[in-house]
Amino acid sequence: MLLTTSLLLGLLPTIFGVTGEVLVKRAVPFGTPRSESHRLAKRTPLTWASAISKGACFIGQFTSGGPQSTYTDYSSLTTYGWIEDDDGGVNTPQADLADAFKGLDLSSAAPPNQFGKNLSMLQDGDFPTGSNTIGFGTSGNYQELYNTKEGVIVAEQNFSPAYYTGGNPATPLPALQRWSDVVYLVYANLCSKNNANPNGIKYFFRWHINDATSTQPIINQAVGITVAGGANGADQLKPWPGTKFTMDTDQGKALLGTPHGYGIAYFLIQHQGAQQLGMKTVDYITIFQTTYLGKNFYNMLVAVKDV
């Protein structure tokens, strides 16, 4: 039986569960492998001078204050299509970072014990985009290890919604999309559940840094290594305790100004409220090498202290 146009239009609200809304077409079916379904955004190379300038600006805002995030409620994650995936299992960083954990007197126990939670936040749900339109999941993914007892976050695998949509202005993005906002809300929620205070944050690890366009070249210059074409610069890094830079050095400022540094800066600056993190600053940054399955990797530790 053929459906008339008027009948078909009348069925649309039932089919989609919305009334009077324009739905944005999903680019690919849910669950399609990301390597096949997304045009990945490319990062712009970062100069040494620009990295230092960015880092210095962040350091100033640690003490003078900066714009505060409007996202303060964990429920905002659901509103903007973020879905919690709690695998709760033992993950590679805990073994890979064992020397660093021991050196900092941190627990290396597997979740759900002392080290807390291994959570991946997936931006695979629908979200409002304004003007009565709906955006569909971008496959953005922020996966971290959270230790609320000792104030540690290990950034494992992090790809923003903008990264996975290739920076295409025609593709809607959720308003709540930044690593600093999403990860803060998850951390604060876990602190609440575990009777911990978010202002006890002490350490951020950036594990297995693969950004060869911006972060790795700045690390290379900071530690003073030269990398020939195609070589793995991590082969020249020192294993833990690595190379440490305080924030009064150009190297420390430049590292903070990289994509792997400034996400942490925004995390601290945008949540300075008394019931949040309070006024925090970066104490030092350490660059070190780890080895996994015979390959060496770049890693960054960002240590935090009160202003």
Side-chain angles (χ1 to χ4, degrees):
M1 179 180 69
L2 296 177
L3 295 176
T4 65
T5 300
S6 59
L7 178 58
L8 179 60
L9 290 174
L11 289 173
L12 286 177
T14 302
I15 296 171
F16 292 110
V18 295
T19 302
E21 293 180 322
V22 178
L23 300 184
V24 180
K25 184 179 180 181
R26 179 186 289 279
V28 294
F30 178 82
T32 302
R34 290 174 180 148
S35 60
E36 300 173 8
S37 65
H38 294 81
R39 183 168 64 86
L40 303 182
K42 295 183 179 180
R43 281 195 170 125
T44 302
L46 180 65
T47 67
W48 180 253
S50 178
I52 292 174
S53 178
K54 288 182 178 181
C57 180
F58 292 133
I59 291 171
Q61 288 185 308
F62 289 146
T63 54
S64 65
Q68 298 301 286
S69 174
T70 58
Y71 303 107
T72 59
D73 194 307
Y74 185 78
S75 64
S76 297
L77 292 169
T78 301
T79 300
Y80 289 99
W82 290 95
I83 300 167
E84 181 179 306
D85 179 19
D86 178 7
D87 65 26
V90 179
N91 217 322
T92 305
Q94 288 153 273
D96 203 32
L97 299 174
D99 289 342
F101 290 165
K102 183 177 180 180
L104 297 169
D105 196 26
L106 298 173
S107 167
S108 59
N113 302 315
Q114 282 178 294
F115 207 85
K117 286 286 187 179
N118 175 16
L119 288 178
S120 181
M121 297 302 295
L122 306 175
Q123 204 292 303
D124 269 330
D126 301 347
F127 57 91
T129 62
S131 303
N132 293 321
T133 62
I134 295 176
F136 290 90
T138 62
S139 293
N141 175 27
Y142 296 139
Q143 181 174 329
E144 335 295 319
L145 281 173
Y146 296 91
N147 177 347
T148 59
K149 180 178 179 179
E150 296 172 312
V152 186
I153 296 175
V154 179
E156 296 183 61
Q157 176 175 281
N158 292 280
F159 298 102
S160 69
Y163 178 84
Y164 271 125
T165 58
N168 184 354
T171 303
L173 294 172
L176 176 52
Q177 60 173 293
R178 305 294 184 187
W179 180 90
S180 55
D181 281 321
V182 173
V183 173
Y184 171 78
L185 289 174
V186 174
Y187 181 70
N189 184 59
L190 289 174
C191 283
S192 177
K193 291 181 177 180
N194 298 333
N195 196 29
N197 194 323
N199 69 14
I201 190 71
K202 294 179 181 177
Y203 300 110
F204 293 86
F205 285 92
R206 288 291 198 175
W207 178 69
H208 287 194
I209 296 171
N210 291 316
D211 174 16
T213 302
S214 298
T215 303
Q216 287 184 4
I218 297 300
I219 290 176
N220 295 341
Q221 188 161 349
V223 300
I225 63 176
T226 301
V227 181
N232 179 9
D235 292 342
Q236 301 182 55
L237 298 179
K238 298 177 182 179
W240 185 263
T243 306
K244 179 178 176 180
F245 301 101
T246 56
M247 305 316 294
D248 57 352
T249 65
D250 283 348
Q251 292 94 329
K253 294 181 180 72
L255 292 169
L256 186 63
T258 64
H260 287 75
Y262 62 62
I264 296 168
Y266 283 124
F267 183 105
L268 300 175
I269 292 167
Q270 295 180 331
H271 306 98
Q272 293 175 323
Q275 302 303 314
Q276 298 177 312
L277 304 176
M279 302 295 285
K280 301 288 184 182
T281 188
V282 172
D283 188 12
Y284 62 87
I285 295 177
T286 295
I287 300 299
F288 62 103
Q289 173 204 86
T290 60
T291 304
Y292 179 64
L293 296 179
K295 181 179 179 180
N296 294 322
F297 289 91
Y298 290 81
N299 300 273
M300 179 187 294
L301 165 72
V302 179
V304 174
K305 65 178 182 179
D306 291 330
V307 170

